[in-house]
Amino acid sequence: MRGGGLLVAGTTSDAGKSVVTAGICRWLVRQGVKVAPFKGQNMSLNSFVTREGAEIGRAQAMQAQAARVEPTALMNPVLLKPGGDRSSQVVLMGKPVGEMSARGYHGGRQQTLFEPVLACLEELRATHDAVICEGAGSPAEINLRRTDIVNMGIARAARLPVVVVGDIDRGGVFAQFFGTTALLAPEDQDLIAGYLVNKFRGDVTLLEPGLDMLHGLTGRRTFGVLPYAHGLGIDEEDGLRVSLRGTVRESVVAPPLGADVLRVAVCAVPLMSNFTDVDALAAEPGVIVRFVDRPEELADADLVVVPGTRGTVKALAWLRERGLADAIARRAAEGRPVLGICGGFQALGEHIEDEVESRAGAVDGLGLLPVRVRFAREKTLARPVGEALGEPVEGYEIHHGVAEVLGGDPFLDGCRVGAVWGTHWHGSLESDGFRRAFLREVAAAAGRAFVPAPDTSFGALREEQLDRLGDLIEEHADTDALLRLIEEGAPEGLPFVPPGAP
C-alpha cells in the first residue's frame, strides 16, 4: 500500500472525528502500516509547537502520536485561532499570517489556501502508506460548500473515500446520517462510503434494525458501532466546549497516597487556550481538577491555575468583573498557591502594553508578579528545555507577549514570588519529576498531607489512552472493510440520495 487515504467526517462538531481518526491511526500502525494524520483546516485554541517551530492543532499532534510519527506542519497546514466571535488569527504552515474576519476568510482567502492544503496532503500520501484525514464540523454545511477545503472539497480533489461519524449519545443519529448524505451534491455523495456510530450505550442488537433501514434508505453500510468509553477526553480541539461548573477533567480514578487530596481550580477565562495543560495534574492520584467561573469556587482550592488565553486583556477584565481577581489577590497575600501559564502568567504581572492582540494599549495586570509584558507582532513559537525545582522540564511556547521579569525567584522563563508562580511554558506539567516536585510545593503551602504518587507517568498514561482508541476500532469496527476503503477508495455505484445540494 502507498498513498492510501480516508476522510473521517462528522455529522456535527464534537461527534468524535478527532478520536476516531486517532484510533484508526493507532490500529493501522499496529498492523505495520506507515500512517499519518491530516486536517487541512482546523479551528482551535488548543495548539502545539512541532520540533521545527510550527504551530498546529494539538489534536493533530495527538493523532501523530497515535500514528507513532513526529508531528509536522504538513499535518495541519491551516489553523484558525479565534480572537472573538467574528475574527481569527490565520496560521499557515505553522506561522501566523494575519487576522481575518469570518466573512473575509470565506469570501476569498480560504479558496487561495486550497492548493497549499492539497499539496500538503499529497506530500504526506507520497511518503506514507496511508493518510487518515479529519474533517471539520459537518460536510453538509451548505452555506460553506463553495469554499470548503477540509471536508468534501478536499475529498473530491484527492478522491478520498469518506466515513461519516455520528454521536448517538446525543440522539437523532439516523436523521443526522441521512440528512448529511441527502444534502450533498451527487459528486460528493459518490465518495460517502458509509457511517460509523460513536458513543453507543446498551445492546447493539437493538440498534441493528435501524442500521438495516439506514442501509435501505441510503445504500450505504455502517462500518461499526463504537461503545461509549469513559476517560478518553484527550486533547479536544476547543476549550470553549468544556462545561464549567463543577467539571472535573476525566482521569484515572485512584485514591491519594497521603491523607489528603489536592483540589485544583482552573479559572475558565475567555478564549481559554491549551486547557490541556492541566490534564497531567488530573492524571495524578488524589488530585481533583475542576474549571470554575465564580470567586466562591476558589475558597476550598489548594491551587488556582490561571491558564493560557488568546485574549490576555479580555481575560483580565473578566477576572475583575467576576470578582475572581480580588479572590486570587487575597490568596496570594495569604501565601496560598497560584499558577499562571502563558496568558495567565501575563495577567499576574504588573503592567501590559498591548497594541497587537487587543490593541488596548497600557493595561494594569493583577500585580502579583514583578513582570512587565509588551506584545510583539512576531509570535514566539519554541520548544524550550530547562530545569525547575531540581528537575528537568520540557515545554512549548506560543505567545505574542514578551515578558520582562524584574524580580522574584527564577521559574522556568518566568518567576516565583512566595506561592505565586508564572511561566510561558505550556506542557511543563507533563514532565513527571517536575510535576511531583511542584505538587509537593503546593501541598506544603496549602498545608495538605498530600503525597504525589512516585510512579505516575503521564506519557505512559497517554499511550494507554491511544491504545484504547486503537482497541475500539479493532474490536468494534469492520477493519477489513475500512482497509479496503483506504486502499481502493469508495465503492462504485453508490446510489444518489435526494434532494442533493440546493
Side-chain angles (χ1 to χ4, degrees), residues 8 18 32 47-48 82 94 138-139 149 166 170 186 242 256 287 323 350 370 383 386 409 426 448 494:
V8 178
S18 294
S47 59
F48 180 77
S138 162
I149 65 172
R170 295 182 173 187
V242 175
V287 176
E350 297 173 349
R383 289 279 294 269
D409 297 320
H426 294 290
R448 297 288 187 189
L494 291 169

Side-chain angles (χ1 to χ4, degrees), residues 199-271:
K199 299 183 184 178
F200 180 71
R201 307 173 192 250
D203 184 351
V204 73
T205 61
L206 299 176
L207 189 66
E208 288 170 353
L211 300 179
D212 292 339
M213 286 185 273
L214 181 67
H215 184 271
L217 287 166
T218 68
R220 290 159 175 84
R221 57 164 300 177
T222 298
F223 288 91
V225 178
L226 307 183
Y228 194 102
H230 292 278
L232 290 179
I234 54 175
D235 290 359
E236 297 98 326
E237 289 185 345
D238 196 346
L240 301 180
R241 293 199 189 99
V242 175
S243 174
L244 303 184
R245 217 174 306 283
T247 294
V248 177
R249 294 287 294 158
E250 292 185 77
S251 60
V252 177
V253 177
L257 268 67
D260 292 337
V261 298
L262 275 187
R263 293 176 173 83
V264 179
V266 185
C267 296
V269 297
L271 300 174

Side-chain angles (χ1 to χ4, degrees), residues 121-453:
L121 173 58
E122 293 308 316
E123 186 171 342
L124 286 174
R125 294 182 79 177
T127 54
H128 292 80
D129 299 330
V131 178
I132 308 303
C133 307
E134 180 188 345
S138 162
E141 306 288 2
I142 54 179
N143 56 316
L144 303 178
R145 176 60 185 91
R146 181 178 60 83
T147 57
D148 170 44
I149 65 172
V150 65
N151 289 306
M152 301 314 298
I154 198 77
R156 200 194 294 186
R159 302 307 300 168
L160 293 172
V162 180
V163 172
V164 182
V165 177
D167 179 358
I168 197 170
D169 196 51
R170 295 182 173 187
V173 76
F174 293 116
Q176 293 171 26
F177 284 145
F178 181 87
T180 296
T181 308
L183 281 175
L184 298 177
E187 297 85 354
D188 290 344
Q189 288 194 25
D190 285 344
L191 298 171
I192 302 293
Y195 314 109
L196 195 62
V197 176
N198 192 29
K199 299 183 184 178
F200 180 71
R201 307 173 192 250
D203 184 351
V204 73
T205 61
L206 299 176
L207 189 66
E208 288 170 353
L211 300 179
D212 292 339
M213 286 185 273
L214 181 67
H215 184 271
L217 287 166
T218 68
R220 290 159 175 84
R221 57 164 300 177
T222 298
F223 288 91
V225 178
L226 307 183
Y228 194 102
H230 292 278
L232 290 179
I234 54 175
D235 290 359
E236 297 98 326
E237 289 185 345
D238 196 346
L240 301 180
R241 293 199 189 99
V242 175
S243 174
L244 303 184
R245 217 174 306 283
T247 294
V248 177
R249 294 287 294 158
E250 292 185 77
S251 60
V252 177
V253 177
L257 268 67
D260 292 337
V261 298
L262 275 187
R263 293 176 173 83
V264 179
V266 185
C267 296
V269 297
L271 300 174
M272 180 168 48
S273 63
N274 292 77
F275 64 100
T276 46
D277 281 335
V278 299
D279 282 1
L281 295 178
E284 284 285 349
V287 176
I288 300 170
V289 177
R290 60 188 178 181
F291 290 81
V292 304
D293 61 353
R294 298 183 300 184
E296 55 268 31
E297 294 175 298
L298 305 188
D300 66 345
D302 302 304
L303 170 67
V304 169
V305 177
V306 187
T309 171
R310 173 87 162 84
T312 300
V313 170
K314 182 178 288 188
L316 264 171
W318 182 86
L319 289 169
R320 287 176 168 133
E321 290 164 3
R322 295 269 175 156
L324 287 159
D326 290 339
I328 291 170
R330 286 194 297 271
R331 289 183 62 89
E334 295 165 2
R336 302 174 66 197
V338 177
L339 171 65
I341 302 174
C342 199
F345 165 45
Q346 297 165 6
L348 295 180
E350 297 173 349
H351 187 76
I352 293 171
E353 288 285 342
D354 182 11
E355 299 292 349
V356 176
E357 191 174 76
S358 68
R359 298 181 177 86
V363 178
D364 288 333
L366 299 185
L368 303 182
L369 290 174
V371 174
R372 299 178 72 85
V373 177
R374 177 186 54 80
F375 275 72
R377 297 200 176 279
E378 186 76 16
K379 181 185 282 190
T380 296
L381 297 168
R383 289 279 294 269
V385 177
E387 182 178 298
L389 304 180
E391 297 287 346
V393 190
E394 295 184 17
Y396 56 100
E397 295 185 63
I398 307 168
H399 54 92
H400 283 279
V402 179
E404 181 186 6
V405 179
L406 302 172
D409 297 320
F411 178 69
L412 302 178
D413 72 331
C415 65
R416 169 187 181 179
V417 174
V420 180
W421 293 267
T423 178
H424 272 133
W425 291 22
H426 294 290
S428 63
L429 293 166
E430 295 179 18
S431 298
D432 297 326
F434 165 71
R435 182 180 63 254
R436 286 191 278 271
F438 177 71
L439 288 175
R440 283 192 290 269
E441 293 264 348
V442 168
R448 297 288 187 189
F450 170 84
V451 179

